[in-house]
Amino acid sequence: MQWRSILVGLVVLRLSLSCMLWLAFGLGPSWGFNFHLGFNLHKLDLLFREEKETEPRDNSWSERIHGPRYEETETTCASAGEESPKRSYLSFFDGNKDEYVRRYSSFPDTLKAKMKDMAKEMFYFGYDNYMKYAFPEDELNPIDCEGRGPDVQNPSNININDVLGNYSLTLIDTLDTLLVLGNVSEFQRAVKLVIDTVSFDKDSTVQVFEANIRILGSLISAHILLTDPKHPFGNVGFEGYDNELLHLAHDLAVRLLPAFENTSTGIPYPRVNLKNGVPPDSVNETCTAGAGSLLVEFGILSRLIGDSTFEWVARRAVRALWNLRSNETGLLGNVVNIQTGQWVGKQSGLGAGMDSFYEYLLKSYILFGEKEDYRMFTAAYESIQNHMRRGRESCNEGEGDPPLYVNVNMFSGEIMNTWIDSLQAFFPGLQVLNGDVDDAICLHAFYYAIWKRFGALPERYNWQLQAPDVLFYPLRPELVESTYLLYQATKNPFYLHVGMDILQSLEKNAKWEYHTSCFRFLH
C-alpha cells in the first residue's frame, strides 16, 4: 500500500488553510502534470482589474463583469444583441501581453517569503486564540471571544449542530496544518492533547458527512503522518505513540455505522447520535453529496485496520445513488429519500448537495485504483458536459460566452434557476485532476473574476443579474484548492498571484480584532 499517495489524497481533500499555505509558499510536490495548454494566460490580465467604468446592467453573465450588451437565449447563457459584436470577457485581454508579463509572469522569492510569513501569522492568530479562549470546545466564537459547541438548547439549529459534536473539532482539524507549517513540536503536543482529552462517547447528534470529512479524515491523516516510514514531512513520530489516533478514528466510524442500518436502499441517514445511534425522529431524506462522499475516509480506514465493513457500506451507498440516476440524462438529483429511492430534490448541479459526490468518485479512483469509480466518474462528467454546460463549445476560442455550468432538472436538462454557489469553485480543480486543464483555466477565471469584484465568493451568485443572491462567505476553500491544483499543473506564477490575492482578501475582510484576539467570518 502506497501510504504517501493516500496521504497526499487526504491532504488534497482537506486542503482549506493548508492549501492556502502551500500555494503562498510555492511549495507542494511536483506532480509531474504535462498537459498541453492552448489557453493564453495573458488574456486574463484585464479581467481582474477593478471595475472603474461599467455599462448599465443587462442580461449577460459575462458582459456584466466587463463588456457589451447581450440578450439571453434558450440555447446559451447569452448571445450578442444586434447592436454589439459578439465578444466574451476574455476578448478584452487581447493586446495586453506586456501588462500581463509585468504583473503575472514572475513571483519573486522575496514575495514568496512575505506571503509565507503572512499565512503563518494568519494561522497562528486563529489557532492560538482558539487554544487560549475556546479549547476544549469545538470552535471559537469570534464575536464573543469564547468557545462554542453544539447548540443543545436548540436541536433544530443544524447549521451549528451538524458540525459541532463536543469533540474539540478545531484542534483535531488543524493537526496536519501544523506539520505543513513545520511545527513538529506543536503537532506532537496537539496529538497528545487529542489522545488525552477527546472522547466520542457523547450524547451529540452530528451529520455523518461532516463528522467524516472533519474528524475521521483528520485523525486518519495525522495517524499516517506519524507512522509513514517515508516521512513526507520528516520523522514526526514520538516515543510511546501506540496508534491511539487510529483507535479514535475506528471508534468514531463504528458510531457512524448505525446511519447505514435500516435503510431500504443502503443510502445512509444524514445524522446519527454518537451515543444512541439514529435519532427516533430522524428524517428519511439526505443529499447526494452527504451520502456519497464517505468512501475516501471509510476506505482508508478499512485498509488500515483490515476490516472491509467501512469501505463496503460507503461503496454500497455510492452504487445505490448511481443506480438512481436518470435514464434520459444520466444525471442525479440533489435530495433523495433513503427508504423509497425517490428523488425529493430534482436539481442537478455542481454546488451544494452534489459537489463532493463527483469529487469523491475521481479521488477514490486516484487513491484506490478501482476502475468502477472511474467508470462512474467519466459517465457523470460526460453527462455534466452534455446537460449543465452552457456557452461556446470551445473555452479558448469561438463566439459567445466562455462556459458556465448551470443548475438543471435531472430528468430534462432544463435550467431550473439562474444562480451558482461558491461550492462550485471546486470543479476547476477536479478538471485538472481529470486532465481537462484548458477548461479548468477558463472556469477558474470566471470564479476569480467574481472574487476580485467582491473580495470573496458570495455564497450564491446570480449569473443572470450579475449580483449576489446570498450575501456571505463562510471561508470556503474550494477556489483555493482549484488555484493550487492549477498551479501544480501549469507552474504558472499567475496562480501564486491569485493565492496572494486570496490571502490578502481574507486578512482584510474576514478578521475580527477583539482586544488582541479573535477573528470573525465575513458578513
Side-chain angles (χ1 to χ4, degrees), residues 420-462:
I420 59 174
D421 64 60
S422 61
L423 290 167
Q424 293 184 353
F426 87 97
F427 198 66
L430 199 66
Q431 289 180 306
V432 170
L433 293 179
N434 195 44
D436 194 0
V437 181
D438 276 9
D439 278 350
I441 291 171
C442 201
L443 187 60
H444 176 275
F446 173 67
Y447 295 120
Y448 182 47
I450 299 172
W451 181 287
K452 286 292 290 183
R453 184 176 175 186
F454 298 104
L457 279 183
E459 185 71 346
R460 276 190 187 176
Y461 181 77
N462 192 306

CSV table of all heavy atoms in Angstrom, one decimal, residues 420-462:
chain,number,residue,atom,x,y,z
A,420,ILE,N,-25.4,30.3,-9.2
A,420,ILE,CA,-24.4,29.3,-8.9
A,420,ILE,C,-24.0,29.5,-7.4
A,420,ILE,O,-24.3,30.6,-6.9
A,420,ILE,CB,-23.2,29.4,-9.8
A,420,ILE,CG1,-22.5,30.7,-9.7
A,420,ILE,CG2,-23.5,29.0,-11.2
A,420,ILE,CD1,-21.2,30.9,-10.4
A,421,ASP,N,-23.4,28.5,-6.8
A,421,ASP,CA,-23.0,28.8,-5.4
A,421,ASP,C,-21.5,28.6,-5.3
A,421,ASP,O,-20.8,28.0,-6.2
A,421,ASP,CB,-23.7,27.9,-4.4
A,421,ASP,CG,-23.5,26.5,-4.6
A,421,ASP,OD1,-22.4,26.0,-4.5
A,421,ASP,OD2,-24.5,25.7,-4.8
A,422,SER,N,-20.9,29.1,-4.2
A,422,SER,CA,-19.4,29.1,-4.1
A,422,SER,C,-18.8,27.7,-4.0
A,422,SER,O,-17.6,27.6,-4.4
A,422,SER,CB,-19.1,29.9,-2.8
A,422,SER,OG,-19.6,29.3,-1.7
A,423,LEU,N,-19.6,26.7,-3.7
A,423,LEU,CA,-19.0,25.4,-3.6
A,423,LEU,C,-18.6,24.9,-5.0
A,423,LEU,O,-17.8,24.0,-5.2
A,423,LEU,CB,-20.0,24.4,-3.0
A,423,LEU,CG,-20.3,24.6,-1.5
A,423,LEU,CD1,-21.5,23.8,-1.1
A,423,LEU,CD2,-19.1,24.1,-0.7
A,424,GLN,N,-19.2,25.4,-6.1
A,424,GLN,CA,-18.9,25.0,-7.4
A,424,GLN,C,-17.5,25.3,-7.8
A,424,GLN,O,-17.0,24.7,-8.8
A,424,GLN,CB,-19.9,25.7,-8.4
A,424,GLN,CG,-21.3,25.2,-8.3
A,424,GLN,CD,-22.2,25.9,-9.4
A,424,GLN,OE1,-21.8,26.7,-10.1
A,424,GLN,NE2,-23.4,25.5,-9.5
A,425,ALA,N,-16.8,26.2,-7.1
A,425,ALA,CA,-15.5,26.6,-7.4
A,425,ALA,C,-14.5,25.4,-7.3
A,425,ALA,O,-13.3,25.6,-7.6
A,425,ALA,CB,-15.0,27.8,-6.6
A,426,PHE,N,-14.9,24.3,-6.7
A,426,PHE,CA,-14.0,23.1,-6.6
A,426,PHE,C,-13.8,22.5,-8.0
A,426,PHE,O,-12.8,21.8,-8.3
A,426,PHE,CB,-14.7,22.0,-5.7
A,426,PHE,CG,-15.6,21.1,-6.5
A,426,PHE,CD1,-15.2,19.9,-6.9
A,426,PHE,CD2,-16.9,21.5,-6.7
A,426,PHE,CE1,-16.1,19.0,-7.6
A,426,PHE,CE2,-17.8,20.6,-7.4
A,426,PHE,CZ,-17.4,19.4,-7.8
A,427,PHE,N,-14.7,22.8,-9.0
A,427,PHE,CA,-14.8,22.0,-10.2
A,427,PHE,C,-13.6,22.2,-11.1
A,427,PHE,O,-13.1,21.2,-11.7
A,427,PHE,CB,-16.1,22.3,-11.0
A,427,PHE,CG,-16.4,21.2,-12.0
A,427,PHE,CD1,-16.7,19.9,-11.6
A,427,PHE,CD2,-16.4,21.6,-13.4
A,427,PHE,CE1,-17.0,19.0,-12.6
A,427,PHE,CE2,-16.7,20.6,-14.3
A,427,PHE,CZ,-17.0,19.3,-13.9
A,428,PRO,N,-13.0,23.4,-11.2
A,428,PRO,CA,-11.8,23.5,-12.0
A,428,PRO,C,-10.6,22.6,-11.5
A,428,PRO,O,-9.9,22.1,-12.3
A,428,PRO,CB,-11.4,25.0,-11.9
A,428,PRO,CG,-12.7,25.7,-11.6
A,428,PRO,CD,-13.5,24.7,-10.8
A,429,GLY,N,-10.5,22.5,-10.2
A,429,GLY,CA,-9.5,21.6,-9.6
A,429,GLY,C,-9.8,20.2,-10.0
A,429,GLY,O,-8.8,19.4,-10.3
A,430,LEU,N,-11.0,19.7,-10.0
A,430,LEU,CA,-11.4,18.4,-10.4
A,430,LEU,C,-11.1,18.2,-11.9
A,430,LEU,O,-10.6,17.1,-12.3
A,430,LEU,CB,-12.8,18.1,-10.1
A,430,LEU,CG,-13.2,16.6,-10.1
A,430,LEU,CD1,-12.5,15.9,-8.9
A,430,LEU,CD2,-14.7,16.4,-10.0
A,431,GLN,N,-11.3,19.2,-12.7
A,431,GLN,CA,-11.0,19.1,-14.1
A,431,GLN,C,-9.5,19.0,-14.3
A,431,GLN,O,-9.0,18.2,-15.2
A,431,GLN,CB,-11.5,20.4,-14.9
A,431,GLN,CG,-13.0,20.4,-15.0
A,431,GLN,CD,-13.5,21.7,-15.7
A,431,GLN,OE1,-13.1,22.8,-15.3
A,431,GLN,NE2,-14.3,21.5,-16.7
A,432,VAL,N,-8.7,19.6,-13.5
A,432,VAL,CA,-7.2,19.5,-13.6
A,432,VAL,C,-6.9,18.0,-13.3
A,432,VAL,O,-6.1,17.4,-14.1
A,432,VAL,CB,-6.5,20.4,-12.6
A,432,VAL,CG1,-5.0,20.0,-12.5
A,432,VAL,CG2,-6.7,21.8,-13.0
A,433,LEU,N,-7.4,17.4,-12.3
A,433,LEU,CA,-7.1,16.0,-12.0
A,433,LEU,C,-7.5,15.1,-13.1
A,433,LEU,O,-6.9,14.0,-13.2
A,433,LEU,CB,-7.8,15.6,-10.6
A,433,LEU,CG,-7.3,16.3,-9.4
A,433,LEU,CD1,-8.0,15.8,-8.2
A,433,LEU,CD2,-5.8,16.1,-9.2
A,434,ASN,N,-8.5,15.5,-13.8
A,434,ASN,CA,-9.0,14.7,-14.9
A,434,ASN,C,-8.3,15.0,-16.2
A,434,ASN,O,-8.6,14.3,-17.3
A,434,ASN,CB,-10.5,14.9,-15.1
A,434,ASN,CG,-11.2,13.8,-16.0
A,434,ASN,OD1,-10.9,12.6,-15.8
A,434,ASN,ND2,-12.0,14.2,-16.9
A,435,GLY,N,-7.4,15.9,-16.2
A,435,GLY,CA,-6.6,16.2,-17.4
A,435,GLY,C,-7.2,17.3,-18.3
A,435,GLY,O,-6.7,17.6,-19.4
A,436,ASP,N,-8.3,17.9,-17.9
A,436,ASP,CA,-9.0,18.9,-18.7
A,436,ASP,C,-8.6,20.3,-18.3
A,436,ASP,O,-9.4,21.1,-17.8
A,436,ASP,CB,-10.5,18.7,-18.6
A,436,ASP,CG,-11.3,19.4,-19.6
A,436,ASP,OD1,-10.7,20.1,-20.5
A,436,ASP,OD2,-12.6,19.4,-19.6
A,437,VAL,N,-7.3,20.6,-18.5
A,437,VAL,CA,-6.7,21.8,-17.9
A,437,VAL,C,-7.2,23.0,-18.6
A,437,VAL,O,-7.4,24.1,-18.0
A,437,VAL,CB,-5.2,21.7,-17.9
A,437,VAL,CG1,-4.6,22.9,-17.3
A,437,VAL,CG2,-4.7,20.4,-17.2
A,438,ASP,N,-7.4,23.0,-20.0
A,438,ASP,CA,-7.8,24.2,-20.7
A,438,ASP,C,-9.1,24.7,-20.1
A,438,ASP,O,-9.3,25.9,-19.8
A,438,ASP,CB,-8.0,23.9,-22.2
A,438,ASP,CG,-6.6,24.0,-22.9
A,438,ASP,OD1,-5.6,24.1,-22.2
A,438,ASP,OD2,-6.6,23.9,-24.1
A,439,ASP,N,-10.1,23.8,-20.0
A,439,ASP,CA,-11.4,24.2,-19.5
A,439,ASP,C,-11.3,24.6,-18.0
A,439,ASP,O,-12.0,25.5,-17.5
A,439,ASP,CB,-12.4,23.1,-19.6
A,439,ASP,CG,-13.0,23.0,-21.0
A,439,ASP,OD1,-12.8,24.0,-21.8
A,439,ASP,OD2,-13.7,22.0,-21.3
A,440,ALA,N,-10.4,24.0,-17.2
A,440,ALA,CA,-10.2,24.4,-15.8
A,440,ALA,C,-9.7,25.8,-15.7
A,440,ALA,O,-10.1,26.6,-14.9
A,440,ALA,CB,-9.2,23.4,-15.2
A,441,ILE,N,-8.8,26.2,-16.6
A,441,ILE,CA,-8.2,27.6,-16.6
A,441,ILE,C,-9.3,28.6,-16.8
A,441,ILE,O,-9.5,29.6,-16.2
A,441,ILE,CB,-7.1,27.7,-17.7
A,441,ILE,CG1,-5.9,26.9,-17.3
A,441,ILE,CG2,-6.8,29.2,-17.9
A,441,ILE,CD1,-4.8,26.8,-18.4
A,442,CYS,N,-10.2,28.3,-17.8
A,442,CYS,CA,-11.2,29.2,-18.2
A,442,CYS,C,-12.3,29.3,-17.1
A,442,CYS,O,-12.7,30.4,-16.7
A,442,CYS,CB,-11.9,28.7,-19.5
A,442,CYS,SG,-12.8,30.0,-20.4
A,443,LEU,N,-12.7,28.2,-16.5
A,443,LEU,CA,-13.7,28.2,-15.5
A,443,LEU,C,-13.2,28.9,-14.2
A,443,LEU,O,-13.9,29.7,-13.6
A,443,LEU,CB,-14.2,26.8,-15.2
A,443,LEU,CG,-15.4,26.7,-14.2
A,443,LEU,CD1,-16.6,27.5,-14.8
A,443,LEU,CD2,-15.8,25.3,-14.0
A,444,HIS,N,-12.0,28.6,-13.9
A,444,HIS,CA,-11.3,29.2,-12.7
A,444,HIS,C,-11.3,30.8,-12.9
A,444,HIS,O,-11.6,31.5,-11.9
A,444,HIS,CB,-9.9,28.7,-12.6
A,444,HIS,CG,-9.1,29.3,-11.5
A,444,HIS,ND1,-8.4,30.5,-11.6
A,444,HIS,CD2,-8.9,29.0,-10.2
A,444,HIS,CE1,-7.8,30.9,-10.5
A,444,HIS,NE2,-8.1,29.9,-9.6
A,445,ALA,N,-11.1,31.2,-14.1
A,445,ALA,CA,-11.0,32.7,-14.3
A,445,ALA,C,-12.4,33.3,-14.0
A,445,ALA,O,-12.4,34.4,-13.5
A,445,ALA,CB,-10.6,32.9,-15.8
A,446,PHE,N,-13.4,32.6,-14.3
A,446,PHE,CA,-14.8,33.1,-14.1
A,446,PHE,C,-15.0,33.3,-12.5
A,446,PHE,O,-15.4,34.4,-12.1
A,446,PHE,CB,-15.8,32.2,-14.6
A,446,PHE,CG,-17.2,32.6,-14.3
A,446,PHE,CD1,-17.8,33.7,-14.7
A,446,PHE,CD2,-18.0,31.7,-13.4
A,446,PHE,CE1,-19.1,34.1,-14.4
A,446,PHE,CE2,-19.3,32.1,-13.1
A,446,PHE,CZ,-19.9,33.2,-13.6
A,447,TYR,N,-14.7,32.3,-11.8
A,447,TYR,CA,-14.8,32.4,-10.3
A,447,TYR,C,-13.9,33.4,-9.7
A,447,TYR,O,-14.3,34.2,-8.8
A,447,TYR,CB,-14.6,31.0,-9.6
A,447,TYR,CG,-15.6,30.0,-10.0
A,447,TYR,CD1,-15.2,28.8,-10.6
A,447,TYR,CD2,-16.9,30.1,-9.7
A,447,TYR,CE1,-16.1,27.8,-11.0
A,447,TYR,CE2,-17.8,29.2,-10.1
A,447,TYR,CZ,-17.4,28.0,-10.7
A,447,TYR,OH,-18.3,27.0,-11.1
A,448,TYR,N,-12.7,33.5,-10.2
A,448,TYR,CA,-11.8,34.5,-9.7
A,448,TYR,C,-12.2,35.9,-10.0
A,448,TYR,O,-12.0,36.9,-9.2
A,448,TYR,CB,-10.4,34.2,-10.2
A,448,TYR,CG,-9.3,35.2,-9.6
A,448,TYR,CD1,-9.3,35.4,-8.3
A,448,TYR,CD2,-8.4,35.8,-10.5
A,448,TYR,CE1,-8.3,36.3,-7.8
A,448,TYR,CE2,-7.4,36.7,-10.0
A,448,TYR,CZ,-7.4,36.9,-8.6
A,448,TYR,OH,-6.5,37.8,-8.1
A,449,ALA,N,-12.8,36.1,-11.2
A,449,ALA,CA,-13.4,37.4,-11.5
A,449,ALA,C,-14.4,37.9,-10.5
A,449,ALA,O,-14.5,39.0,-10.1
A,449,ALA,CB,-13.9,37.4,-12.9
A,450,ILE,N,-15.3,36.9,-10.1
A,450,ILE,CA,-16.3,37.2,-9.1
A,450,ILE,C,-15.6,37.6,-7.8
A,450,ILE,O,-16.0,38.5,-7.1
A,450,ILE,CB,-17.2,36.1,-8.9
A,450,ILE,CG1,-18.0,35.8,-10.2
A,450,ILE,CG2,-18.2,36.4,-7.8
A,450,ILE,CD1,-18.8,34.5,-10.2
A,451,TRP,N,-14.6,36.8,-7.4
A,451,TRP,CA,-13.8,37.1,-6.2
A,451,TRP,C,-13.2,38.5,-6.2
A,451,TRP,O,-13.4,39.3,-5.2
A,451,TRP,CB,-12.7,36.1,-6.0
A,451,TRP,CG,-11.9,36.3,-4.7
A,451,TRP,CD1,-11.0,37.3,-4.5
A,451,TRP,CD2,-12.0,35.5,-3.5
A,451,TRP,NE1,-10.5,37.2,-3.2
A,451,TRP,CE2,-11.1,36.1,-2.6
A,451,TRP,CE3,-12.7,34.4,-3.1
A,451,TRP,CZ2,-10.9,35.6,-1.3
A,451,TRP,CZ3,-12.5,33.9,-1.9
A,451,TRP,CH2,-11.6,34.5,-1.0
A,452,LYS,N,-12.6,38.9,-7.3
A,452,LYS,CA,-12.0,40.2,-7.4
A,452,LYS,C,-13.0,41.3,-7.3
A,452,LYS,O,-12.8,42.3,-6.8
A,452,LYS,CB,-11.3,40.3,-8.8
A,452,LYS,CG,-10.0,39.5,-8.8
A,452,LYS,CD,-8.9,40.1,-7.9
A,452,LYS,CE,-8.4,41.5,-8.4
A,452,LYS,NZ,-7.3,42.0,-7.5
A,453,ARG,N,-14.2,41.0,-7.8
A,453,ARG,CA,-15.2,42.0,-7.8
A,453,ARG,C,-15.8,42.3,-6.4
A,453,ARG,O,-16.0,43.4,-6.0
A,453,ARG,CB,-16.4,41.6,-8.7
A,453,ARG,CG,-17.5,42.7,-8.8
A,453,ARG,CD,-18.5,42.2,-9.8
A,453,ARG,NE,-19.6,43.1,-9.9
A,453,ARG,CZ,-20.7,42.9,-10.6
A,453,ARG,NH1,-20.8,41.8,-11.3
A,453,ARG,NH2,-21.7,43.8,-10.6
A,454,PHE,N,-15.9,41.2,-5.5
A,454,PHE,CA,-16.5,41.4,-4.2
A,454,PHE,C,-15.5,41.2,-3.0
A,454,PHE,O,-15.9,41.4,-1.9
A,454,PHE,CB,-17.6,40.4,-4.1
A,454,PHE,CG,-18.7,40.6,-5.1
A,454,PHE,CD1,-18.9,39.8,-6.2
A,454,PHE,CD2,-19.6,41.7,-4.9
A,454,PHE,CE1,-19.9,40.0,-7.1
A,454,PHE,CE2,-20.6,41.9,-5.8
A,454,PHE,CZ,-20.8,41.1,-6.9
A,455,GLY,N,-14.3,40.7,-3.3
A,455,GLY,CA,-13.4,40.4,-2.2
A,455,GLY,C,-13.6,39.1,-1.6
A,455,GLY,O,-13.0,38.7,-0.6
A,456,ALA,N,-14.5,38.3,-2.1
A,456,ALA,CA,-14.8,36.9,-1.7
A,456,ALA,C,-15.8,36.3,-2.7
A,456,ALA,O,-16.3,37.1,-3.5
A,456,ALA,CB,-15.4,36.9,-0.3
A,457,LEU,N,-16.1,35.0,-2.6
A,457,LEU,CA,-17.1,34.4,-3.4
A,457,LEU,C,-18.4,34.5,-2.6
A,457,LEU,O,-18.5,33.9,-1.5
A,457,LEU,CB,-16.8,33.0,-3.7
A,457,LEU,CG,-15.8,32.7,-4.9
A,457,LEU,CD1,-15.7,31.2,-5.1
A,457,LEU,CD2,-16.3,33.4,-6.2
A,458,PRO,N,-19.4,35.2,-3.1
A,458,PRO,CA,-20.8,35.1,-2.5
A,458,PRO,C,-21.2,33.7,-2.4
A,458,PRO,O,-21.0,32.9,-3.3
A,458,PRO,CB,-21.6,36.0,-3.4
A,458,PRO,CG,-20.7,36.8,-4.2
A,458,PRO,CD,-19.5,36.0,-4.4
A,459,GLU,N,-22.0,33.4,-1.3
A,459,GLU,CA,-22.5,32.0,-1.2
A,459,GLU,C,-23.3,31.6,-2.4
A,459,GLU,O,-23.3,30.4,-2.8
A,459,GLU,CB,-23.2,31.9,0.1
A,459,GLU,CG,-23.7,30.5,0.5
A,459,GLU,CD,-22.6,29.5,0.9
A,459,GLU,OE1,-21.4,29.9,0.7
A,459,GLU,OE2,-22.8,28.5,1.4
A,460,ARG,N,-24.1,32.5,-2.8
A,460,ARG,CA,-24.8,32.3,-4.1
A,460,ARG,C,-24.7,33.5,-5.0
A,460,ARG,O,-24.8,34.7,-4.5
A,460,ARG,CB,-26.3,32.1,-3.9
A,460,ARG,CG,-26.7,30.6,-3.6
A,460,ARG,CD,-28.2,30.4,-3.6
A,460,ARG,NE,-28.6,29.1,-3.1
A,460,ARG,CZ,-29.8,28.7,-3.0
A,460,ARG,NH1,-30.8,29.6,-3.3
A,460,ARG,NH2,-30.1,27.5,-2.6
A,461,TYR,N,-24.5,33.3,-6.3
A,461,TYR,CA,-24.2,34.4,-7.2
A,461,TYR,C,-25.2,34.2,-8.4
A,461,TYR,O,-25.2,33.1,-9.0
A,461,TYR,CB,-22.8,34.4,-7.7
A,461,TYR,CG,-22.4,35.5,-8.6
A,461,TYR,CD1,-22.3,36.8,-8.2
A,461,TYR,CD2,-22.3,35.2,-10.0
A,461,TYR,CE1,-21.9,37.8,-9.0
A,461,TYR,CE2,-22.0,36.2,-10.9
A,461,TYR,CZ,-21.8,37.5,-10.4
A,461,TYR,OH,-21.5,38.6,-11.3
A,462,ASN,N,-26.0,35.2,-8.7
A,462,ASN,CA,-26.9,35.1,-9.8
A,462,ASN,C,-26.2,35.5,-11.1
A,462,ASN,O,-25.9,36.7,-11.3
A,462,ASN,CB,-28.1,36.0,-9.5
A,462,ASN,CG,-29.3,35.8,-10.5
A,462,ASN,OD1,-29.1,35.8,-11.7
A,462,ASN,ND2,-30.4,35.6,-9.9
